[in-house]
Amino acid sequence: MQFLLDIVVTLVSLFVIGQFVWAMRFHFVTDRMPIGAKVISAVGIITIALFIYLQFTRVQPLGAQLAGLAIEIVASLLFVAAIRASREAQLYYVFEGQKPRSILKSGPYGYIRHPFYTSYLLQWAGWAIATWAPVAIVPVAILVFIYAKAAIGEERNIADSSLAGDYADYRRRAGFFWPRLPI
């Protein structure tokens, strides 16, 4: 049972990461791959190798694998919803540094300002939980830092654009990586 679940977790993880790679190629707009995107790709490849190693060389609790798998499925669903909501927006590549053309507010963007980054973080965190290895926290923390840096940079670009006022209102309603809690 353990080996079968290791295979399922790994295949689901690679499928979700495959969705992300597809988006880099066919959904986001870029003329070149920015250095920050190259860093994310390198960290991602190293993390994939580490997580596969951990998945198959350690015994994980059933609950950890099932919880990690569930989180990865949520990540995939959020990613697909973000793709649908941004299909016509021609979003720029991560770390592209371009001023946005519009502010997305539908679909997951109604609750989260950066649903793509949230889906990426959920996927990596889900797989880390499924490996049930303390060392898995390290690459996830690195990726949190990188995605936060990217999102903050994008928000600075919006603040320096003609969309600044509308975006300030939007920021009050939608959370950064997680939905705002009603207070």
Side-chain angles (χ1 to χ4, degrees), residues 76-100:
S76 179
L77 294 173
L78 176 59
F79 179 81
V80 169
I83 288 284
R84 287 185 178 149
S86 64
R87 190 173 308 166
E88 305 298 321
Q90 295 186 321
L91 298 177
Y92 292 108
Y93 227 59
V94 62
F95 291 111
E96 188 73 31
Q98 299 288 335
K99 302 272 189 255

Side-chain angles (χ1 to χ4, degrees), residues 99-100 102-103 153-164 167:
K99 302 272 189 255
S102 63
I103 299 171
E154 290 170 9
E155 294 203 349
R156 278 193 202 117
N157 287 337
I158 296 169
D160 292 340
S161 76
S162 61
L163 302 170
Y167 196 73

Side-chain angles (χ1 to χ4, degrees), residues 108-144:
Y109 288 94
Y111 307 96
I112 305 169
R113 297 193 307 270
H114 302 281
F116 282 110
Y117 297 141
T118 300
S119 70
Y120 305 155
L121 291 172
L122 285 171
Q123 193 285 323
W124 292 118
W127 201 358
I129 290 167
T131 69
W132 205 246
V135 71
I137 296 168
V138 174
V140 174
I142 291 167
L143 288 162
V144 167

Side-chain angles (χ1 to χ4, degrees), residues 3-180:
F3 183 70
L4 179 60
L5 205 46
D6 289 341
I7 290 172
V8 170
V9 167
T10 301
L11 290 177
V12 168
S13 301
L14 293 175
F15 172 78
V16 177
I17 292 167
Q19 289 178 304
F20 302 163
V21 171
W22 171 87
M24 289 173 62
R25 178 75 171 96
F26 298 108
H27 185 73
F28 296 105
V29 178
T30 191
D31 293 329
R32 59 179 172 66
M33 189 171 187
I35 188 73
K38 290 178 183 178
V39 169
I40 290 171
S41 294
V43 172
I45 290 167
I46 292 166
T47 304
I48 290 167
L50 173 64
F51 285 6
I52 289 173
Y53 172 78
L54 293 171
Q55 196 70 54
F56 288 96
T57 60
R58 299 173 48 88
V59 175
Q60 299 85 18
L62 177 64
Q65 286 196 304
L66 294 177
L69 196 55
I71 292 167
E72 289 184 285
I73 291 168
V74 168
S76 179
L77 294 173
L78 176 59
F79 179 81
V80 169
I83 288 284
R84 287 185 178 149
S86 64
R87 190 173 308 166
E88 305 298 321
Q90 295 186 321
L91 298 177
Y92 292 108
Y93 227 59
V94 62
F95 291 111
E96 188 73 31
Q98 299 288 335
K99 302 272 189 255
R101 297 177 187 96
S102 63
I103 299 171
L104 295 171
K105 299 178 188 174
S106 64
Y109 288 94
Y111 307 96
I112 305 169
R113 297 193 307 270
H114 302 281
F116 282 110
Y117 297 141
T118 300
S119 70
Y120 305 155
L121 291 172
L122 285 171
Q123 193 285 323
W124 292 118
W127 201 358
I129 290 167
T131 69
W132 205 246
V135 71
I137 296 168
V138 174
V140 174
I142 291 167
L143 288 162
V144 167
F145 173 79
I146 294 170
Y147 291 135
K149 184 171 175 56
I152 290 167
E154 290 170 9
E155 294 203 349
R156 278 193 202 117
N157 287 337
I158 296 169
D160 292 340
S161 76
S162 61
L163 302 170
D166 191 25
Y167 196 73
D169 291 336
Y170 172 62
R171 282 183 67 170
R172 286 189 277 281
R173 291 189 319 272
F176 189 70
F177 284 154
W178 311 109
R180 285 204 188 277

